[in-house]
Amino acid sequence: RMADLTPEVLALKDSAKQAFHGKFGYDATIAAYASGRVNLIGEHVDYADGLVFPFSIHLGTVVVGKAREDAGSACRVLSLNMKENPYQEFDFSTEGPTEAKWSDYVKGVLHFFHKDRTPVPSLDICVISNVPLGGGLSSSASLEVALATFLEELCQKPFQTGAEKALLCQKAEHVFPKMPCGIMDQFIAVHGKVNHACLIDCRTNTSTAIHMGEGAVEFVVTNSNVVHKLANPDGEYAKRKKSCSESLKILQSTNPSLTSLRDVTPEMIQSAITANPDSLDLKRGYHVVHEIQRVKDAVDALAKQDYSRLGTLMYQSHESLRDLFEVSCKELDVLVEIARGCEGVYGSRMTGGGFGGCTITLVQKGKGKEFMEKVLAEYKSKTGIDAVAFITSASTGTCVLPL
């Protein structure tokens, strides 16, 4: 699995190794990697028992470190990405937050690995990532899963299943940074495979690898450089999640056997909306019900290499996220509209939690570079913001790296 990691990832490892030695005065003995991800389709449905369809990208996070000799459960951690508070020390046996938001993600994984699996010794670690932070490409799950893979190796205690590993990382994110995320981000970082997207069933926590075809298309990620901050208990993300629960309650009043929005048919949600035309919660639920169907249709389109159908579904997904779920923003809408006017583009949509972050665009093979030049120039002239774009492909999710 090492063979398909990019030279950039191996360079990250070298930087972390060097910085570790510089900070702690001795050499790290273990290194682990986990990727960021882009979600092809299936947005804001993972916490509604939905289906999602992400793939691991070529960017990720590297954790290097070593156990210390002293007893206890102390962690010293250095981040090479954080401008503020890049160095933290804490005891991971306790539940409280750390002094920096980013290190809560680290503490959460250490805490639950130590508490639920096997005692973790005191340790020193250094983390580095080339996943844009707050860009909707799952930098947090990338960090969590890289650390969990590192701990498996350090403690010689592998998880029984990938799902178990993803669920521990998700729990860490719920309890420490208090981000009520679904399972998708951790799951794809654990299960990502070269040249495969991952159809994840968030009800059963199972996944199916779907081959992405023989390179007839290119996937372009464009970062709007509008940073989202989703980890805020009263924030928009938490409100959307609550809205989905409320819409289910309304539907249960006429369909008491329903247990989640996953089982709601388009007809059911439509008749509920007809009866409650002003319900914002049902508007959110309508997005979820139709988005889950779009995922099924997208898997089918990809299997048949019907890229224009897949592109249409991506545009529909974006419109629903913009108009019904209301998690897009002006800049993401501008990026999608520019893509619509470009030659060789099949489809484009916002990806990730929204309120900023990235779009993913499906482009004919060989047209990606031309598309990126056009989109960056037009976006700059329309918003005054410098975006960043790159072509990506499905890559390895997580692995231990030789040091």
Side-chain angles (χ1 to χ4, degrees):
R1 294 168 76 174
M2 272 290 301
D4 52 75
L5 294 177
T6 62
E8 290 81 9
V9 167
L10 301 178
L12 287 181
K13 179 192 74 173
D14 292 340
S15 301
K17 191 175 156 183
Q18 214 175 339
F20 182 94
H21 190 278
K23 180 72 182 173
F24 301 114
Y26 65 94
D27 287 331
T29 55
I30 295 170
Y33 167 81
S35 68
R37 65 96 189 94
V38 66
N39 191 19
L40 205 48
I41 197 160
E43 216 65 77
H44 283 280
V45 299
D46 58 346
Y47 48 75
D49 281 353
L51 297 168
V52 293
F53 198 32
F55 63 88
S56 286
I57 57 173
H58 67 289
L59 305 175
T61 302
V62 172
V63 173
V64 305
K66 187 178 188 298
R68 293 213 310 264
E69 298 302 316
D70 45 324
S73 45
C75 175
R76 300 190 297 185
V77 56
L78 174 68
S79 163
L80 299 182
N81 296 92
M82 291 301 158
K83 305 276 183 285
E84 280 177 44
N85 302 317
Y87 175 73
Q88 292 292 306
E89 295 183 10
F90 52 81
D91 179 336
F92 54 79
S93 66
T94 64
E95 281 244 349
T98 63
E99 284 173 24
K101 196 76 188 168
W102 69 267
S103 46
D104 286 346
Y105 294 90
V106 176
K107 183 174 176 181
V109 174
L110 284 166
H111 177 81
F112 286 117
F113 201 98
H114 179 68
K115 184 176 159 213
D116 298 354
R117 296 184 53 73
T118 193
V120 175
S122 286
L123 75 171
D124 292 334
I125 49 182
C126 176
V127 301
I128 185 169
S129 185
N130 59 4
V131 185
L133 305 179
L137 300 176
S138 197
S139 53
S140 53
S142 166
L143 168 58
E144 292 153 11
V145 173
L147 180 55
T149 300
F150 170 88
L151 291 172
E152 284 181 292
E153 187 72 8
L154 181 79
C155 301
Q156 289 298 294
K157 178 82 172 168
F159 288 92
Q160 298 301 301
T161 64
E164 191 191 353
K165 186 176 183 173
L167 286 163
L168 182 137
C169 293
Q170 182 198 30
K171 179 157 92 166
E173 189 159 336
H174 285 182
V175 175
F176 282 80
K178 298 193 170 19
M179 168 62 186
C181 59
I183 193 65
M184 168 172 68
D185 298 350
Q186 292 79 7
F187 219 87
I188 183 60
V190 170
H191 291 96
K193 258 175 86 170
V194 176
N195 209 12
H196 287 74
C198 198
L199 175 65
I200 302 169
D201 184 327
C202 301
R203 167 176 279 171
T204 57
N205 290 331
T206 53
S207 64
T208 312
I210 308 281
H211 198 275
M212 293 181 77
E214 293 309 323
V217 288
E218 290 173 326
F219 293 95
V220 177
V221 174
T222 311
N223 187 347
S224 66
N225 276 331
V226 175
V227 174
H228 71 186
K229 288 193 176 62
L230 295 179
N232 161 9
D234 308 314
E236 294 296 331
Y237 184 95
K239 282 182 196 160
R240 294 303 181 286
K241 195 175 173 183
K242 188 167 185 297
S243 222
C244 289
S245 307
E246 293 301 319
S247 69
L248 179 62
K249 281 181 196 160
I250 299 169
L251 288 151
Q252 283 167 333
S253 64
T254 49
N255 305 271
S257 63
L258 289 174
T259 55
S260 83
L261 290 174
R262 170 76 172 269
D263 302 315
V264 175
T265 63
E267 295 74 29
M268 278 180 204
I269 190 94
Q270 192 52 63
S271 65
I273 286 174
T274 306
N276 309 271
D278 298 328
S279 167
L280 182 62
D281 293 330
L282 285 175
K283 186 170 152 184
R284 308 288 192 233
Y286 186 95
H287 161 76
V288 171
V289 171
H290 286 268
E291 185 78 350
I292 292 170
Q293 185 56 48
R294 277 190 286 272
V295 175
K296 295 175 187 172
D297 295 342
V299 171
D300 184 56
L302 189 62
K304 292 175 177 158
Q305 300 196 2
D306 184 348
Y307 298 118
S308 51
R309 171 98 181 102
L310 181 56
T312 300
L313 291 162
M314 290 169 74
Y315 282 134
Q316 287 170 355
S317 171
H318 183 79
E319 286 154 17
S320 180
L321 289 158
R322 181 190 68 201
D323 302 337
L324 300 175
F325 219 70
E326 297 179 275
V327 290
S328 188
C329 62
K330 182 178 100 259
E331 293 82 3
L332 290 171
D333 296 341
V334 165
L335 286 173
V336 171
E337 281 316 305
I338 295 168
R340 238 183 234 282
C342 290
E343 197 199 336
V345 170
Y346 290 111
S348 187
R349 59 181 287 277
M350 59 157 273
T351 184
F355 311 107
C358 296
T359 60
I360 175 153
T361 306
L362 183 63
V363 186
Q364 278 171 15
K365 179 85 178 155
K367 294 280 172 81
K369 199 165 177 299
E370 186 187 321
F371 166 72
M372 291 193 296
E373 285 167 10
K374 186 169 181 195
V375 80
L376 296 179
E378 276 198 43
Y379 180 72
K380 172 78 172 178
S381 77
K382 286 181 171 161
T383 64
I385 302 168
D386 287 306
V388 178
F390 55 85
I391 296 171
T392 193
S393 57
S395 307
T396 291
T398 187
C399 60
V400 172
L401 302 171
L403 263 179

